[in-house]
Amino acid sequence: MSPLPWRRSSCFVVETVRLLTRIRQMESHDEEQCNRAEEEIIIISDLHVSAPQDLLRSLEKTDESLPESYRVNSSDETRLLDVALNFQRQYSHLFPERKALLLCPANECGVKKFVSTTLQPTLSIHPELFTWDGCASFVANFLSLEPLEPPVELPRYLFSSTSVLQSQRATCFEFSSLLCSLLLGANYDAYCVSGYAVREMCLLDQSLQDCPLLDTQAKVVTSEQEQQDNKYTVKPLRQLKSHFVMQQEKKKQEAEAVLLHRQTLQESGPPPADPLWGLRVHCWVLVLAGSRSVQENFFIDPLTGKSYDTANSNFLGIESVWNDLNYYVNMQDCRNGCTDMLFDLDDVNLWEPVLFGATSRKQLIVDVMKKKESRLLSRMNNDDEEEQQPRAFEMPRSWISPICISKKDVERRWPAGQRTSHYSRAKLEEFSPYLRSDGLLTRLTCYTHLDSVVSVKEWYRHRNDHLEEREVNHVDNFTVERFTRGRRFHLLFHRYAHLSAADTERQMEFSSVRVDGLVRRVEAPGEMTETFEGRDDFLFFRRSVFHPHVQFTDDDVTLKPEEQPPTKVVERFHRNRKRPAGEDVAERVFLLAQRRVEVTYHLEDHRFIPSKRSFIKPRESTEEQKEEQFTADMVSSFQVDPAEQPVQTLALYDMLVVLMEDEKKVLLQIKESQKEVRDIVACRQQEETNIQLLFSPWTTTGAAKAHSQRLEMERVAAEEQRWLQEKEQDLLAPLMMSLDNTETLSPSDAQQLYQNCLQDFKLRLVEQANLIQERYEQETEELQEKQLWYQKNQLNMNQNQKQEYQNYCCKKTLQIHTAKKRLSIHRDSAPQKLRALDQRLKRDARLAPHLLS
């Protein structure tokens, strides 16, 4: 393809003059003529736009609640539509073999809008949307695809991003518009691309691709191997292996891999040929280098959120690209797809702009810098700012309202909170947090070529048992569970064949914060192996062997497998540099059935054979025979250094006593380990039957849960307060506590309650009268005593003492008068209170039926 020859031709000048004349006529004529001209524009533009798609969504009537910009075009937008119409007409005339451009599709209100104004650069407040991969992942997960119908034509409608976010359904063009708006707001140099792609990408068909989770797991394994191969790490001991054997094994593995690949291709077969190859319309996003530390140009497929190189074979051609500033038509040859394309949008020989001379993104940055520099210079020189030169027609502002993405949308992600994706021999199910009661977030199911399940891997979060991952292997019949730190028993890893079976193979890994230093435990039928780290006694390995049919009691009762004592215990220790190698134990073996203990010491320097000792334990005393005495014959020793003095018998006996004590401790620890295994299994069974989620208050779901819990607590507290107030006002409540059945009262019980209540009230009235009478008599007696004291001492009193006496008499006289008045009021009101209580009891719903009868 060659650049448009009419960019500077006389034809372009003529058409521009006609366009300006027409705009002046529209401005000068009345409203009826303007509407008629707009109808002509719509009719003519429809002739050059591809056939409309049969939308799955039905267009509703114009909603008055939408902003006016959705329903009416501004003067700048109307002028832009005329420019686009002129550009479309000349483009179709000069390139009749190419498809029409997507310039002015209709929005949800049926109003034609230029595609560049459909982009609304928006910077989200959520940290997850600050990067391109976060934005792409959100758009791909949040929206569901509506395929283009027909797939070879451009859509007639392009809904706004605000409407798309509400419905969560979009075409590939609406996917790209939303993603491009977010990327532009995040300061990426992003563009929407209208072109052609392969069938699988247009229809979001991932059935021939490998699941991305499987790729992630492979990358994790590779990274771990790279870390192990770091040249600065301590190199392991050299393993003596035959190079010939290793080469033969490698050739065998490669041959098996090739054979497996051939079988896979034969079973699956090549995908059927696409009759519409190269014609399927698709829209994706182009990100140019230069902004946000982007080094190379790349594509983003908005349907999957994946990034691709610009030379990727899935993209077959490009018709046009656009951002919020301009629209560019591709003038390059796309016979080889996008492999040889250049994305220098400022080169008019490669990309033809709709708004020639309009400001591009790069020019906008340069203009801003120049403007700041000119302002600074004008302030320094006290010069007036230069008058702005008239500029070319610029892109109007977007007609879309600001894009608002709530925190709930970011957390919920998928439509209806879940999504299922099918890959090559794999199915991936994803769920929003807190959607499922078991906390499941992701489930990956792998199949064979016969569609039989190979394994099921599940990822969890927010569970009270700290379960993070579970893998069920249906081929080898085992289950693997992984936990986060902080759970009971410090369990991190659990592998088992059957959870509740006692004789099953089981492997557990623990956190290093355990007091006993246990990091791993492997349990098999008749055997248990434990690995330790960081212990003060330098123990790092213990292996216990159990006999399946051992009989340990006098009654010849066979114990349960979990209660059987071990027949052999092997312990290994690290080197303790504070002790000589000949005294530092490297391994000790307790042979309980043979009543023997074998001890192996660490290697001494420049030695190849360690020292060893074997002890035979003396038999304990029984009713038939007395205790066996220790002799030197019960110990067999091997000393590497022949010059070293042999150990005395008493020292050997002390060693044996210490070993026997350690044997008892080891047996107790093994018993505790067996009990811990049973406790862990029982705990896991209980946790699986009662799964609870931990709601974080920093999430919308957790905040709503906390709010509902608080409302429930306030409601319960209000009910309790109301119940207490009712009980406080209930006169019969203290008396009914002595009755067996308070729901239904018998006539005798009602009469008894009635009489007891009246009697108690009378007693309280009498007690209150007596209390007032006592207070009256006490105050009177104190006043009389004070008067007698005054009569005796009045001759010796000064003026201050006399004043105090007068004040005291006034105070006591007032108190006596008050007590006398209260007693009089109480005597007058007591009969009235008694009658009021009698009437209240007779009106009580529990007593009234029995008292009236």
Side-chain angles (χ1 to χ4, degrees), residues 257-289:
V258 172
L259 180 61
L260 180 60
H261 181 67
R262 290 178 180 177
Q263 291 178 355
T264 304
L265 293 178
Q266 291 177 0
E267 292 166 358
S268 59
D274 184 12
L276 300 179
W277 188 89
L279 300 177
R280 293 182 181 272
V281 176
H282 190 53
C283 186
W284 62 95
V285 175
L286 166 66
V287 179
L288 296 182

Side-chain angles (χ1 to χ4, degrees), residues 80 105 132 224 275 701 726 756 778:
L80 180 61
W132 73 262
E224 292 178 354
T701 306
E726 292 176 355
N756 292 342
Q778 180 182 358

Side-chain angles (χ1 to χ4, degrees), residues 239-306:
Q239 297 181 359
L240 301 178
K241 292 184 179 180
S242 172
H243 291 285
F244 176 76
V245 174
M246 294 175 61
Q247 290 177 1
Q248 294 298 322
E249 291 179 354
K250 185 177 181 180
K251 290 180 180 179
K252 184 178 179 181
Q253 293 177 358
E254 292 177 354
E256 291 178 354
V258 172
L259 180 61
L260 180 60
H261 181 67
R262 290 178 180 177
Q263 291 178 355
T264 304
L265 293 178
Q266 291 177 0
E267 292 166 358
S268 59
D274 184 12
L276 300 179
W277 188 89
L279 300 177
R280 293 182 181 272
V281 176
H282 190 53
C283 186
W284 62 95
V285 175
L286 166 66
V287 179
L288 296 182
S291 298
R292 292 290 300 269
S293 301
V294 177
Q295 301 297 330
E296 296 181 356
N297 306 333
F298 65 93
F299 291 147
I300 302 177
D301 181 22
L303 306 185
T304 59
K306 297 180 181 179

Side-chain angles (χ1 to χ4, degrees), residues 683-709:
C683 179
R684 288 295 303 126
Q685 291 177 342
Q686 181 182 3
E687 290 171 346
E688 288 298 326
T689 56
N690 184 23
I691 299 175
Q692 296 181 359
L693 300 182
L694 303 176
F695 290 89
S696 173
W698 308 113
T699 60
T700 55
T701 306
K705 184 74 173 179
H707 181 68
S708 61
Q709 290 179 352

Side-chain angles (χ1 to χ4, degrees), residues 697-747:
W698 308 113
T699 60
T700 55
T701 306
K705 184 74 173 179
H707 181 68
S708 61
Q709 290 179 352
R710 180 174 180 177
L711 293 179
E712 180 66 17
M713 293 172 61
E714 293 177 352
R715 185 188 65 81
V716 173
E719 290 183 355
E720 291 180 354
Q721 185 67 22
R722 185 167 57 254
W723 181 82
L724 291 175
Q725 292 178 357
E726 292 176 355
K727 290 300 180 183
E728 290 176 358
Q729 298 175 359
D730 189 5
L731 300 175
L732 301 178
L735 301 175
M736 293 180 67
M737 295 177 62
S738 59
L739 300 179
D740 296 334
N741 187 8
T742 59
E743 298 295 334
T744 58
L745 296 176
S746 61

